Each structure stands twice: as structure tokens, then as C-alpha cells.
Amino acid sequence: MRYSKNTILLVDDEEVVKQRLRDVIKDDYEVLEASNGQEALELLGEHIEQVAVIVLDLIMPVMDGFQFMNEFRRHREYDNIPVIVATSNEDWHSEQKCLEAGVWDFVMKPYNPVLLRFRIKNAIDKSRMIMAERDAVTGIYTKFKFYRAVRSMLMEETEETFAFARFDIDRFKMINNFYGIKEGDKVLKSVALELKKISTVFDKFVYGRVENDIFAVCMPYQEENVELLVKALQINLRKVNKDYNIKLSCGVYIIKDDTADVPEMYDRASLAAKSCKGKFVQSLAYYDEKMIENMRQEQFIINEVNRAIDEEQFKVYLQPKMNLVTDRSYGAEALVRWNHPEKGMMSPGEFIPVYERNGIIGRLDQYMWRHVCMLLRKWLDEGKTPNPISVNVSRVNIYNPHLVKIFKKLLTEFQIPAELLNLELTESAFMEDQDLIMKTMSSLHRLGFKIMMDDFGSGYSSLNVLKDMEVDYLKVDMKFLQDQEFNGKGEKVLTSVIRMAKWLHLPSIVEGVETIEQVDFLKCIGCEYAQGYYYAKPMPVADYEKFIAREEEMGAKSSTDENAAIVNELWNTRSGISKFFDLLETPIAVYEYRNNRIELLRTNARYDTEILFEKSVNEYEHNRRMQAENELLGEAFAKLVKGDICGPMEYELTQDVWYRVTVKVIGKRADTMIMMVTFYEISEYR
Ligand code: C2E
Ligand code: CA
Ligand code: CA
């Protein structure tokens, strides 16, 4: 027999009681009957879609009411089925126990028919409200409705293997933030519409919107069908708005045991979906048991955190930051290491992402700040003049309303000038709530802190953000140096990033510098600071102290890399050298020379008026002269690259206007040189 949606499940071992109950409600509802908890669970499994209310006796053989509630509660898809306990027992103790077990309401035996009907109706109304069947935005099933629909589909079809797919839209929050809620809703609606279309192709296909941007589908499993589904959704999404590239992350759990909880299937599919988050090509992943293992590992890391903090298992490691002009360190970045009693030294990659996902990172950050403050205090007490140490401030803390207070307290507690503690805020955090982050930053600035934008270029950085945000330093992500990602364009991009930072008067620190070639290159393009294994790996505090001591010993001998200093200053349009350069009465130009190619980087005012202007008589003449100049310089540069000497050359710019041209190398690395070319007019001496 098929039951309607208004079915009441009566659970009582006494036939007389059930009889009486049935008489009270049979005109309004259909009735299912069970004589104990066990039977009730079985019926519930078969009729989950139909059961609207359970009326439960407490004392029964086989499985009593409490045991039933225990089992019942373990199935999350039953969450919204109201349970009314029928009791003759006036013991408030058991009443409390019932409420704790998730019982909604009570009725007294023997029943007052009016009251009973009223209570049942109430419970149904309330649960309907909670689990409205259709989602208001998309019109498709809501979570509860979907879960129940999945359950009944699985019950009907015991032969077939089903797949449970769960997917969401990467960076959906960004769409909402940048394009508005309306646009976000448009995207959601189009997903729902596409699902509706796809559902007509399949016999069995249940789908719903679980929450926010998360949708789920249950369908008979066939690899090509699942792939088709994801592809169709993906193609459809691309059509919604071509401005932004929407990507899905879809996780699939192939249902092995179809009596398992639907929410559990959902969890497994979610776990799979997580593994394709943030990957540009992959949008589909299947659940496998390893994921559970990873989750256990994650759980372990989470469980251990409090003890690790209490026992100070987390250690501060320091990695020097190098000033490329003086070739000496200028402070360091504090990076956490976990010295676990059993697992040994763990690097942040193993636990930071876990803590970030779970919000625990907030505590760890503060632990690190504190320990860095303690360290600075110790150095100050020892009469040292430490350079600033920078600490990482993760996203949760950037949005922590007490952040400013916390730092203020640290400064007072340890009596540390704010200049000694620099703050690294990761770039991606700047994209979220810009107003809030700007407010926080100006409060931190008022306290005297310097702020670095960390990982610049690693995510969705927009140059606009840089312009609006008052950061003091730019930390450029190491991916630019790891060229592969850019097919060799990394250096070009890096050059323009540094140049742009200079226009904004932002000093840059490039991370991940591993080779001398990279150092030379960074000096060439006028980058101020570098951090990386080439100079030093992150090291324990004691080693850092030795590093500094050694540096101080050598201090007297070492000198500034003058060329790096000049290049650096030349890029900075506001710098003294740069102004001086423009005041010089001699035309000067700076070139980059690489693979026999010459590129003009910078000229002074005199060059512009005397040479460039003179060259621009007409296009033909201009090109001819440019070519002549390039040939002349090309020869000279080639000599210099080989290490040969290149004396001054004579050059006729235009008829009877002669220059003596000298070339000086001011920066070099493997295959690129920066040359300064000076033009002295010598026409009258000829
Ligand atoms: P990050 O802030 O970008 O830190 C730089 C990372 O690059 C560090 O990794 C550092 O060891 C590594 N690195 C430095 N030089 C080189 C190099 O030449 N080559 C290569 N390949 N890598 C280099 P680490 O210490 O493993 O930290 C990884 C990330 O974990 C950090 O990235 C940061 O986001 C996070 N982290 C580390 N310590 C903390 C902390 O105390 N608090 C917070 N919130 N995050 C931290
Ligand atoms: Ca950092
Ligand atoms: Ca970084």
C-alpha cells in the first residue's frame, strides 16, 4: 500500500492504546503502526518520504522509546520528523531525558482527542516550515526534501548502483561580492535550470540545492553519465557570464551501501569535492578511502593543537630578508615549525591549511606573535638593536574584531616599538571585505605597524587593490621565479610588477630566491629586498642570532653593491639620483641587453630633448637613426658581454652633429645586462 504524505507512525505495544489513537486521528491522517522501536525503525526506513509525525510510547518490549530515539537520532535525514511522546509517566526526569533525545512534544495517556489532534497538527506545521520542500531561489528541492527523495529512490531500487554527486561553484562568494547578489542568484538559477533539463534525460535522477552554492544529485552510476553531467553543467555555467570563469568542483561518492545515511553519502562526496578545489583543470573527483585517512590525519592535527600550544611544541623559525643594495639582512620573517614529540619536526604545509580551514589558525598566530615579541624583548634587554621581524596574520585574524587590541596589548606588555614587528597579510584576504580591511589597516598604521601584502601574485590580485590599499611593502610570490608557470614570461611579469610597485612607491620583497642568477636579475630590475634559500633557509632562533653576529663581524668589510643601488634609485622616479639624472646636462639612456636584443628602459630629460627629439624629424629618418644607434650600441654591448673592453665610440646623429658615446655596465646577470649610455657632443672638436 502507498501512503500519503500525511502519515502518522504510531509506536506502542498495547493494541488497545493504538486502537484508541487510530480512532482519534484516522479521519485526518493515514496511520502506520509498530509495536516496538525496532519495527518502527524498519517502517521509517521504508516510508521516510511519507511519515509526518511519530507518536511514541516509552515503555515497550524489544526496543523501548529511549533506545528508539538513540537510533533515530543517528540518522540525520530524520532530523525534521517530529516525535511526540505519549506518556502516562509524570516523572519530569524522563521528560527531560526525552527532550535531550530530541523529542518535540508530549501527550498524556489516556488521550484527550482534541488536544492530541492539535498537537499533531502543530508539529506537522512546524516541521513543514523547517523543511520547506522547494528552495525559494531556484525552485528545486531543498536539502531535507532532497535527502528524503534520495532515500526513497534507493529503497525502491535495490539492484542498481547509484552515484551521489555534490558540487559547488568555486569562488561563488567573489561573484556575489563583485557582481552583486542578483548576479549570484542568476548563476544559481541557471544551475537549477540545467539540472532540470538534465533530469529529463534520465529515468532516475534526484537533485536539490543543499545550501548556498552547493547542489547535489543522485543518479544511477555510470562513469560517462557522471562526466556528462559535470560537463553539461560546466558548459552551461560558462555561458551565464563570460566575464568571469566559473568552475565547478564536483565530488562523487559511488554508493556502496544504500542503507547508509544520506548525509553520510553527502559528506563523502564533499570530501571528494574538496580535492579538486582551487585546481584549474580538475573539476571532478571520486571519493576513495584515502580521503577518510586524510580526514583522520586532519582530525589528529586538530585534536593535538591545544596540547601543542600548552607544551610550547610550536617553534619560531626565522628566515632573513636581504636588502639587495647593501647585500645584508634587514630583519626576518617568523615561520612556525611544529616539533611534535612523536612525529618530529613538521612543516607548516602539513598543518597550517588544516588550521586555516578550521579557524584554529587564529590561536596559533597569536602564539607566534607573542613568542616573537618575547624574542624582541630579549634582544632589546641584551642591548641589541634588532631589525624588524615580520609575522604572518592569517585571514581569520584579519577579520578578528579584537585584532588591533591584541597587537596594542602585545606592544605594551613587552614594551616593544611597533616598527620592530611587521605584519604580513596574505593577498587573498584583501579581496574579501575591503572596507573592513582598510579600517583595520589604518588602525594598525596608527599604532605604528608596517604592513606587507604577502603572496602578491599568487591569487587573484588586482593591481587596483594595490593602489587603494595602504600597504607598506609588497611581498611578491615565488611563483614568478619558478618560471614554468609562465612559459618563460615570469621574469617579464616580475619586471613590470616591480616597476609598478615603484610607481606606487612600494618597496618589494621577492620570495623564493634560490640562485645567484635570480639575485642578479632582481638587482637589475631594481627590486629592493629578497628572501630565499639562496641566502638562508628558515632557521631556529639560535642560528639566526649567529647569522646576525657573523654579518656584523663582516659588516666593516662589506660594502654596498653600488650598481644595485644605482639601478634601484634610477627606477624610483622620486629618488634623489633619479632627479639628478634628469638635471644632468648630458644625454643619458639606460638599456637592457639580452639575447642580442636592445631595449630602452629609461632616459633622462636631456636625452629626450637632444637625441630623441632630433631623431623624430620624420618617420623615415627616425627609423634610420634608431637603427644606426642600435647597431652601434649592439656592437658595443656584444663586446661588453664577452668581457671585452669597449672604449668610447663616435657617432653621427645627424649631419655634422657628432657624439662621443660611452657605455657602462650597471647591472648584469647570466644573459641580461643593464647598460648606461652617455652621449657627449663633440661636433666642434671634429
Ligand atoms: P609564506 O608566508 O609565503 O612563507 C614563505 C614560505 O616559503 C616558507 O615556507 C618558506 O620556508 C618558504 N621559502 C623561503 N625561501 C624559499 C626558497 O628559496 N624556495 C622555496 N621553495 N621556498 C622558500 P614554510 O615555512 O613552509 O611556510 C609555508 C606557509 O605557511 C607560509 O607561506 C605561510 O603562509 C604559512 N605559515 C608559516 N608560518 C606561519 C605562521 O606562523 N602563521 C601563519 N598564519 N602562517 C604561517
Ligand atoms: Ca609570509
Ligand atoms: Ca608569502
Side-chain angles (χ1 to χ4, degrees), residues 664-678:
K664 188 171 170 9
V665 180
I666 56 170
K668 74 167 163 240
R669 56 176 222 108
D671 60 343
T672 306
M673 284 184 142
I674 303 284
M675 318 273 195
M676 184 166 80
V677 180
T678 319

Side-chain angles (χ1 to χ4, degrees), residues 362-375:
R363 275 198 73 196
L364 181 60
D365 270 358
Q366 293 178 27
Y367 171 99
M368 289 292 285
W369 305 341
R370 203 172 175 80
H371 280 73
V372 167
C373 286
M374 276 156 44
L375 190 59

